[in-house]
Structure formats: C-alpha cells, structure tokens
Amino acid sequence: MFVSFIKRAPFLRPIFCLSAGISIALFCPISLPAVLYAACVAALAITVLSYLSTSVRYRFGWLQGLALQLLVVCAGFLLVYLTDVRHHRHYFEQWIKPGDLLLVSIAEPVQQKGRRLKTTASVRYIIRGNTRMAVQGKLLVYLAADSAAMRLQEGSQLLIDSRPDIIARSGNPGAFDYRQYCYLQQIYRQVYVSAGYWWLLQPDDSNRLKKWLIQSRGYCLQVLQQYIGGREYGLAAALLIGYRYDLDRELVQDYTNTGIVHIIAVSGMHLALIYGALLWILGWWPAHRYATIIKGLLIIVLLWAFTLLTGSTASVLRATVMFTFLTIGRFILYRHTNVYNTLAASAFLLLCYEPRLLADVGFQLSYLAVAGIVVCYKWLYIQLQFKRRWLDRLWDMTALTLAAQVFTLPVCLYYFHQFPIYFLPANMIAVPLSTVVLYGEIGLLLSATIPFIAKVTGTCLKLMMLGMNKVTALIGDMPGALLTGIDIHLFSVLCLYVCISALLLWRMHEWRQGLLVFFAGCACWSAGSMYLRLTEQHQHKMVVYNIPGNTVIDVIQGKVVLKLAGQRLKDSLYERHLLPAYRQYGVSSVRTSGSEAGGALAFPGFRVFMVGGKRLVVVDSMIQQVYPKKKFRTDYLLLSHNPRVDIRQLERIFTVGEYIFDASSSLRNIQRWKSDCYMLTLRFFSVPDQGAYVVNF
C-alpha cells in the first residue's frame, strides 16, 4: 500500500528530506563543514555504486537510495545557508561605518506601536560622504510619531541617520520570541530614528511592477473606504487583498475565539473562489488547442497578479503554485495530476525559493489543512447519506470543515494553546457569507465607475459583514466557547500525529496494525507527559522577567510560584509576559508573600532575600554612604528602578557574585553600570539586552 502510494506521488520523499535539512539548519547547531562532509560522502557513495556491476547495484540499491536522500537533506541545509542575506557580500551590516547614512525604501505600511511608528524597510544604499554604495538587507524602523511620519507610505524612500542595533527580545520563558520571528523573515537589525534625523526623498520609479502593485492596492483600498468604510472597511480589505493593517483588534479576537480567523487571512479558500470564478467567466472560450493554451496562460497570469497584489504570503503562494500546476495539466498538457504529487511539488518549489517558509505557521497550517481535506474529506462525506439536497449540502460543508481540522488540530494546540468549541457552526455561517462578500467586493471594484451601483453594492456588503461580525461575537460569547490553557509540547504533537495517522489507516484502509500503532502512540504520549509532570514537581528556579518599566521576580518551587518582588501588572502585560511562563513551567498556584521564599530583610535602600540557599540583594534606591569593616556577601545583586548608586560604591559594601540590571531601569543607567563592570571585570547580566534572567537552584 505504502509503496504504491509513494510511486504515485514521487515528490513526497524529496519534500520530506528537504524539510529535514531545512529544519536542521534552522533549529540545530550543526556546522557547515560537517554538512559539506556528509554531502561529499553521499555523492561519493552514489558515484562508486554507479560504476559497480548490475548485481551489486541491485543488492545495495537501498544504500544508493539512502545516500541520495542524505544528499537532499544536505541540499536543504545549504539552501538555508546560501539564501541567508548575512552571507551575501553586499549585506549592509558588513559595510556600514559610524557616520554613514542609510537610504531605505519602506516595504510595508506604517503602524502605530505605543508612542512610536513602526515599519519594515529595504536598505538600498549606504551614503558615505559624496559616494553611495549599493547594498541589500531588511531593517526594522521605529520613527517618532509625528505628522510627517504618519504620512509615509509604502514605497517612500528615506535617508536616515542612525546606527542599526540588534532586535530586542523579551526572553521571558514561554513568551513569543519576536527576534526569532524577525530572523525567519531575514530581518536582523532595527533602528530607532528620532525626529529630525530622517529625510524624505523622491520615490524611485524604476521598478514599474512594484509601482503598479502599490497603485492597484491603493485603488482597491480607496474604493473600499469610500463605499464601505467604518469598522467593516478593515475586514473588507483583509478579505479581498489581505490588507490587515486596519483590522479592529476586538474583531480579530472574536474571529480567533470562534475558529474562523482563517477567513480574514487570504488563503487557499480565496484562491479557490477566484479560480472558480475565472473558469466560469472564461467558460465561453472556444475549445481549440491553441485557444485553450492561451486560456490557461491567462488564468495563471491573473492568479499570480492577485498573489502579488496580496503581498505573496505563504498560504497564497502555496495555493497559487498548486492551481498553476492544475492549470498547466488541464489546459496545456491535457493531463490530470495526482493531488498528493501536486501538493508535495508545490511545497518543494516554494521551499527551494524560500526555505524559511517551513517555519512559518501560516505555511504549516495551510498545507496541513489541504492534506486533511485531500485525505479525509471523501471518506467522511460518504459516511452519511441524505436524500434531501439541503441536508446533503450541509453535511458536505461539515465534512469539509472537519477534514481541514484533522491535521491542523495538533499544530493549533501547540502554537495557540486554545481550542474553539463552536468552530463548526461558526464556519457554517461565516464561510458562505465570506464567499458572497468576496464576490461582492470584486463586483464593487468592477462597478466603481458607476457611483449608484457601487453605493448600493457597498451598502449591501457592509450590512452582510455587520451581520457576520455580530453572529461571530455572539458565538464567541456563548458559555464554554473557548477552551484555553492547553499546554502541549513538541513531543506530544508528534505522538498526536502518530495516533491520528494510525487511526486513519485503520479506519480508511483497514490496516489492522494501525490500532496497535495508535495505542503505542498514546503510551508514548502518556510517558512523555508523565516525565514532564515529574520534572515540574522537582523544579526550583528564580526568574527575573524582562518587562519594560517593571520589576517582577518569581521563585518557582515545583508547581508553586512565590513572588519575591514586583507590582501588580495590567491584564495585558500579565497575559503577555507572565502567563506563558506559568504555562511552560506548569504552575498551579501563585503566592504573593515574599516571606514564604525564605524571608526578607529590609535595610535603607535595599532588601535581602534568601532563595534556595542563595542570597539576593535588591537595590532600588540610594544607599547611605556607610562602608562596613566587613563586606556583606551576596550571590546576586539586582539594581531596580534607577537607584542613584555607583558600582564602585556597591563594591565597597558588598561582595557580589553577579550583578543583575532589570528592565525597570533606564538604558542610560544600565549602560553606565555595564561600563563600570567591564572596567572592574565583574560579572553582570542585563535583562533588557539579554532577556529574562533564569537560574536553577
């Protein structure tokens, strides 16, 4: 069964091997020479075996296949290395010097982030005196929020005078690693530009395709804003062209809580609707050999134009490549391709183009959803038969929704730690409505030159989206609508996929051993969970969190958190910084009394805690100029809330094992303390620079 399946989809093995090599490059610390050595050994084995006799080659054919697959794995590793912009000779960070200016082009709309504006820019030139040097690379740009910066648009060119720095990360346990997220998009540096240190230049019109895409996107947004407007405008823009910068946060949360957030992210469903519309519109096309080829090419061009218009996200690229293969097979080669082979081939090509897509959550969910539909949809659909057409149609949609959830469920639990209970009725309502809205928006763009028709169409679309939003919010507010606090580790995800696959093989293909594999997977899952629970029972650590402007110190003993220091955080800060850590460490209760952690002594300017046999001193104000005859010995000394102290002064009072500078102090003071520690050769840890400080006892 498996051999015939692999023969019908020959791209499956290469995609698995390529994905393995990319994963090794992204997440495993293996050196480039080791990979090159393995590739040379594999290539040598293939070469030697090819010159042997036919009988020997037949006998050791498995070895040649293994070497070939190892070669593909090494190719995946090398793809990541070679496409890394940091290894390019024109990467801007290798050439920039103090005093240089950067000429950058804004790559995405400017967004409000606190008291600053944030955007992504492509670095084009380094300006040094009267010369300019062509470079490449991406940069996170933070601008002071003023009227001039608010008017910046995608494609604007800026000349900035500021030194790029490493991207900040909180480093809090279990928290979202924003630095790693940027690295996967090949953004390795950020820059803070104050008012008066950037200048707006004339836009570059040399790239006509990019200019046309920006103008087309602007036209679509202008039409939607004019005839729909309000809160629904952001939803309409996300549905049509994937423009998510004007989406209402509460609306996104409602769609997330009900399991239909995929609707507001342009994905395979949108491409399928557009592909179907194109087939219907071009149905009159004459059935002639060359006319059919032109029809296929026209469909491919329109699909890729829409893909570029939406920003070429991972899910859209996947769907576009798949429909491109289907169109070539149907209209040019007159062949119907194997859907598994098409799915694997599209993934293979996309990963060859950008291997870091493998770590993109949207890419993973997109392919897993399609794989679930391909594998399970028909089998689920035939399980129930209805004579009434509307019931049959309803069950058809239900089977499709359930099939899409089969392989995406473990990944969703792993990344989002929640599960929407009412995802099925929510999809039943939202998917048909969003389909009508999408077609209606296309009609709105086509009728924009006729104000009366456009106004009527826009009003109808707004009312439909308003109703869809209200129904979604109503479902999300129902009792038990969202199951939260789900903690699942990577090993559990793998075990869950083994169990799901075994059950499907047992039920769909009557593979008797599938039931045994299912129970084996459950046993491994239980054993792994038991090991993690035992580890959590015996953990003992101290965590100094990286929360700007706040001091939060926790001692974790087993499943109990003892709060040493820190003020009560806002709900948003608690959910962002503390809740992920408590989820990762399996915390069941939180105690706010610092005395339970071993006792605390208060002195003028500082407090002393005993933590797991270690002594922690927290200095949060000025210490009196009194120097004892015998220094006070401490393992850790934490400077909090900008105390007016000097490291040399502290060295006369304390014998310190390691200094800790938390995120409640200003960067200027931390820099001064770091300089003093460098001069005195003292150990220190800067939480704002290095992330949360975690120590095990």
Side-chain angles (χ1 to χ4, degrees):
M1 179 178 66
F2 296 107
V3 174
S4 62
F5 180 71
I6 293 295
K7 286 182 178 179
R8 285 188 287 113
F11 262 102
L12 285 175
R13 278 187 295 182
I15 188 60
F16 289 145
C17 295
L18 188 71
S19 300
I22 293 172
S23 301
I24 291 172
L26 292 176
F27 306 112
C28 298
I30 297 181
S31 63
L32 179 63
V35 175
L36 292 176
Y37 177 76
C40 291
V41 170
L44 182 62
I46 294 173
T47 304
V48 170
L49 287 172
S50 64
Y51 282 101
L52 298 178
S53 62
T54 305
S55 59
V56 175
R57 276 186 293 167
Y58 179 78
R59 185 178 179 183
F60 293 98
W62 62 271
L63 184 60
Q64 191 173 18
L66 188 64
L68 185 60
Q69 293 178 44
L70 177 60
L71 206 59
V72 178
V73 171
C74 295
F77 184 98
L78 293 175
L79 268 176
V80 176
Y81 182 86
L82 294 174
T83 56
D84 193 333
V85 70
R86 291 175 295 181
H87 301 144
H88 198 282
R89 62 188 301 266
H90 294 299
Y91 181 52
F92 75 93
E93 195 180 351
Q94 300 175 0
W95 299 96
I96 191 170
K97 295 181 179 179
D100 290 347
L101 302 179
L102 289 177
L103 195 156
V104 302
S105 176
I106 294 181
E108 66 178 27
V110 177
Q111 308 167 59
Q112 185 82 38
K113 291 293 181 180
R115 291 177 293 180
R116 289 183 176 271
L117 299 176
K118 173 194 168 186
T119 186
T120 303
S122 300
V123 184
R124 302 191 60 202
Y125 297 100
I126 291 177
I127 309 299
R128 185 177 300 162
N130 295 325
T131 62
R132 71 176 187 178
M133 183 186 309
V135 291
Q136 63 182 33
K138 295 181 182 178
L139 193 65
L140 275 182
V141 180
Y142 292 90
L143 301 164
D146 53 26
S147 58
M150 292 289 289
R151 290 194 295 268
L152 294 176
Q153 298 179 350
E154 185 179 357
S156 299
Q157 288 202 117
L158 303 181
L159 190 64
I160 60 178
D161 182 9
S162 190
R163 182 73 177 180
D165 198 2
I166 191 169
I167 296 176
R169 61 184 289 266
S170 69
N172 294 323
F176 176 67
D177 192 342
Y178 185 66
R179 181 188 295 175
Q180 180 66 21
Y181 170 77
C182 292
Y183 282 7
L184 290 174
Q185 300 182 63
Q186 300 218 59
I187 305 175
Y188 302 103
R189 286 295 180 267
Q190 66 182 8
V191 61
Y192 291 90
V193 187
S194 303
Y197 285 84
W198 63 270
W199 300 269
L200 180 63
L201 305 179
Q202 291 292 329
D204 183 17
D205 296 333
S206 58
N207 192 335
R208 295 185 178 180
L209 176 61
K210 186 175 181 180
K211 181 182 178 182
W212 176 81
L213 289 173
I214 294 174
Q215 290 176 347
S216 301
R217 193 176 306 168
Y219 171 75
C220 295
L221 295 175
Q222 185 266 329
V223 171
L224 296 177
Q225 179 67 56
Q226 179 179 356
Y227 293 105
I228 296 179
R231 188 189 187 196
E232 286 69 32
Y233 155 72
L235 177 60
L239 277 170
L240 182 63
I241 59 173
Y243 187 88
R244 306 186 63 182
Y245 301 102
D246 293 328
L247 275 172
D248 184 77
R249 290 187 178 182
E250 294 182 2
L251 182 65
V252 174
Q253 191 62 47
D254 289 339
Y255 277 66
T256 303
N257 293 343
T258 51
I260 56 173
V261 72
H262 60 89
I263 288 176
I264 57 178
V266 176
S267 59
M269 183 187 75
H270 299 75
L271 262 294
L273 294 174
I274 293 175
Y275 183 74
L278 290 175
L279 291 179
W280 178 75
I281 293 172
L282 298 176
W284 58 271
W285 205 276
H288 186 270
R289 169 67 177 172
Y290 296 106
T292 304
I293 292 177
I294 295 175
K295 177 181 177 180
L297 293 176
L298 180 61
I299 291 175
I300 292 173
V301 169
L302 292 175
L303 287 177
W304 280 101
F306 177 77
T307 301
L308 295 174
L309 187 65
T310 59
S312 303
T313 59
S315 56
V316 179
L317 280 173
R318 185 269 308 165
T320 306
V321 173
M322 276 196 63
F323 283 118
T324 299
F325 284 172
L326 292 174
T327 304
I328 292 174
R330 179 176 177 180
F331 295 103
I332 299 177
L333 301 179
Y334 291 97
R335 292 182 180 180
H336 292 280
T337 59
N338 182 287
V339 65
Y340 297 100
N341 203 43
T342 302
L343 193 66
S346 65
F348 188 88
L349 291 178
L350 287 177
L351 291 179
C352 288
Y353 168 72
E354 177 47 80
R356 289 161 190 81
L357 283 175
L358 184 65
D360 183 85
V361 180
F363 182 87
Q364 297 171 12
L365 292 176
S366 179
Y367 271 94
L368 288 172
V370 175
I373 292 172
V374 169
V375 172
C376 305
Y377 164 64
K378 287 185 178 179
W379 179 80
L380 276 174
Y381 176 69
I382 63 176
Q383 298 306 305
L384 294 176
Q385 298 292 329
F386 297 97
K387 294 183 179 179
R388 295 186 179 274
R389 183 165 182 172
W390 68 272
L391 280 176
D392 184 71
R393 194 66 186 148
L394 183 62
W395 170 239
D396 183 35
M397 292 179 57
T398 304
L400 185 66
T401 304
L402 292 175
Q405 292 287 332
V406 170
F407 290 142
T408 59
L409 177 61
V411 172
C412 289
L413 296 180
Y414 176 72
Y415 283 119
F416 307 120
H417 308 287
Q418 62 184 26
F419 179 72
I421 301 297
Y422 305 125
F423 74 93
L424 194 55
N427 275 276
M428 293 298 175
I429 297 171
V431 171
L433 282 176
S434 63
T435 302
V436 176
V437 169
L438 178 60
Y439 284 139
E441 289 184 86
I442 296 174
L444 176 62
L445 293 179
L446 296 176
S447 63
T449 54
I450 308 175
F452 174 74
I453 298 179
K455 188 174 182 179
V456 173
T457 305
T459 303
C460 294
L461 290 174
K462 185 169 185 177
L463 290 176
M464 291 183 64
M465 285 186 284
L466 183 63
M468 186 168 63
N469 295 341
K470 287 186 176 181
V471 172
T472 301
L474 183 63
I475 294 175
D477 292 336
M478 292 174 64
L482 189 65
L483 187 63
T484 60
I486 300 174
D487 183 26
I488 181 170
H489 294 78
L490 184 59
F491 178 75
S492 301
V493 172
L494 298 177
C495 292
L496 191 52
Y497 272 117
V498 170
C499 295
I500 292 173
S501 302
L503 276 180
L504 290 176
L505 290 171
W506 174 56
R507 291 291 298 164
M508 296 174 60
H509 300 284
E510 299 181 355
W511 188 48
R512 297 179 180 180
Q513 291 82 356
L515 201 57
L516 296 177
V517 175
F518 169 76
F519 287 121
C522 291
C524 293
W525 187 0
S526 300
S529 299
M530 186 182 300
Y531 173 78
L532 290 173
R533 299 292 88 82
L534 291 174
T535 304
E536 291 169 356
Q537 290 285 355
H538 296 88
Q539 65 185 344
H540 193 180
K541 58 188 66 183
M542 181 183 73
V543 183
V544 181
Y545 294 95
N546 182 9
I547 307 176
N550 295 273
T551 297
V552 180
I553 308 172
D554 284 348
V555 173
I556 301 176
Q557 296 178 341
K559 291 179 171 292
V560 179
V561 168
L562 307 174
K563 303 196 76 65
L564 281 190
Q567 57 273 37
R568 181 177 177 83
L569 298 176
K570 297 179 181 178
D571 291 342
S572 58
L573 292 178
Y574 174 82
E575 293 177 358
R576 180 180 178 185
H577 298 286
L578 297 186
L579 188 59
Y582 294 166
R583 186 185 296 121
Q584 176 172 315
Y585 294 137
V587 171
S588 59
S589 63
V590 180
R591 301 177 186 175
T592 57
S593 175
S595 61
E596 297 185 42
L601 300 175
F603 297 94
F606 66 94
R607 290 169 292 164
V608 181
F609 300 91
M610 292 300 299
V611 183
K614 302 289 185 179
R615 185 174 290 162
L616 168 68
V617 173
V618 178
V619 179
D620 53 12
S621 61
M622 187 173 61
I623 299 178
Q624 296 180 358
Q625 298 284 346
V626 177
Y627 304 116
K629 294 182 180 180
K630 185 177 180 181
K631 294 183 180 180
F632 189 84
R633 183 174 183 82
T634 180
D635 298 283
Y636 309 100
L637 191 147
L638 187 142
L639 297 179
S640 168
H641 287 91
N642 298 299
R644 297 175 60 186
V645 296
D646 185 83
I647 298 296
R648 293 180 177 83
Q649 173 193 357
L650 295 175
E651 281 294 295
R652 296 176 185 176
I653 303 174
F654 303 98
T655 299
V656 182
E658 186 172 13
Y659 285 92
I660 305 172
F661 314 134
D662 76 356
S664 65
S665 298
S666 66
L667 296 179
R668 180 180 299 178
N669 284 334
I670 291 177
Q671 187 59 43
R672 177 169 57 87
W673 296 331
K674 287 166 59 177
S675 300
D676 292 341
C677 288
Y678 280 126
M679 292 289 294
L680 300 172
T681 64
L682 302 174
R683 291 181 59 193
F684 69 89
F685 188 96
S686 174
V687 171
D689 298 324
Q690 299 170 258
Y693 183 78
V694 182
V695 58
N696 295 297
F697 300 122

